[in-house]
């Protein structure tokens, strides 16, 4: 449905002479991505409001998105499945943040385990789009920089007795570690 809407909008722009026929596919892709971004942002805000945890929702996504973009991992088979999986994941994580409790030891263990997994498995391309050596180097460096910053930030916040905020960052890191493990399993199964 969104793809068709994007195509209609591009057709309208071609018809009115705003864009050329040759550029239509690029605009269809751009409209689709913009629409998906707006839907995802709206859903994140809605979940933050529903759980009455907007700050934790924002921190969780600020931690998760940069590491996810650079580290890769599991990818759903369609944008709709990706949206559903992401929405469920965020809702579960917000529930854990809202009703769970986090000791300093549990935060340190989650950071340590997640860091090891991410350090060794990232970056990981999708089955349909494997990374070349140059991309592996660039995304690997970015992943380790983002991971290091988030790890230090979460530990500093924990030692400042801001356990829930620290846990939001750590759960973002942990979620990416899980995505990498699931992605590795999916890649292994596809080779068998």
């Amino acid at each position: 449905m969104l793809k068709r809407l994007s195509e209609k909008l591009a057709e309208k722009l071609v018809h009115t002479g705003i864009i050329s026929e040759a550029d239509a596919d690029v605009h269809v892709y751009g409209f689709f991505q913009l629409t998906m971004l707006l839907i995802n942002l709206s859903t994140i805000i809605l979940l933050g409001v529903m759980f009455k945890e907007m700050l934790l929702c924002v921190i969780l996504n600020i931690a998760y998105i940069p590491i996810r973009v650079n580290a890769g991992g599991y990818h759903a088979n369609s944008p709709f499945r990706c949206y559903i999986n992401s929405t469920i994941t965020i809702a579960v994580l917000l529930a854990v943040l809202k009703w769970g409790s986090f000791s300093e030891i549990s935060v340190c263990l989650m950071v340590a385990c997640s860091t090891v997994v991410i350090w060794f498995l990232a970056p990981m391309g999708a089955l349909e789009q494997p990374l070349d050596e140059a991309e592996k180097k660039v995304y690997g460096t970015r992943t380790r920089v983002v991971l290091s910053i988030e790890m230090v930030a979460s530990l500093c916040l924990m030692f400042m007795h801001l356990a829930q905020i620290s846990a939001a960052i750590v759960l973002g890191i942990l979620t990416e570690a899980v995505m990498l493990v699931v992605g590795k399993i999916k890649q292994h199964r596809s080779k068998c």
Side-chain angles (χ1 to χ4, degrees), residues 61-136:
N61 283 282
I62 287 173
Y64 178 66
I65 292 169
I67 200 157
R68 172 71 173 150
V69 167
N70 291 293
Y74 169 77
H75 288 279
N77 296 333
S78 72
F80 180 72
R81 282 188 182 177
C82 179
Y83 172 76
I84 296 299
N85 291 346
S86 298
T87 301
I88 292 169
T89 300
I90 293 168
V92 168
L93 293 173
L94 285 174
V96 168
L97 286 167
K98 184 172 182 82
W99 294 298
S101 62
F102 301 92
S103 67
E104 292 176 357
I105 292 172
S106 67
V107 169
C108 287
L109 284 173
M110 286 190 292
V111 167
C113 292
S114 300
T115 299
V116 168
V117 169
I118 293 170
W119 204 270
F120 287 104
L121 292 182
M124 182 183 297
L127 285 172
E128 304 79 30
Q129 289 182 303
L131 302 174
D132 64 29
E133 289 306 312
E135 289 171 321
K136 285 180 184 176

Side-chain angles (χ1 to χ4, degrees), residues 1 7 15 20 38 46 74 82 95 97 105 112 129-130 138 145 159 165 173 180 187:
M1 182 174 131
E7 289 168 350
H15 180 71
S20 69
L38 293 174
L46 180 65
Y74 169 77
C82 179
L97 286 167
I105 292 172
Q129 289 182 303
V138 169
V145 168
F159 290 119
I165 295 173
I173 297 169
L180 286 164
Q187 285 181 351

Side-chain angles (χ1 to χ4, degrees), residues 66-67 69-71 137-148:
I67 200 157
V69 167
N70 291 293
K137 185 174 182 176
V138 169
Y139 287 121
T141 300
R142 287 181 190 169
T143 298
R144 286 164 183 77
V145 168
V146 171
L147 178 61
S148 298

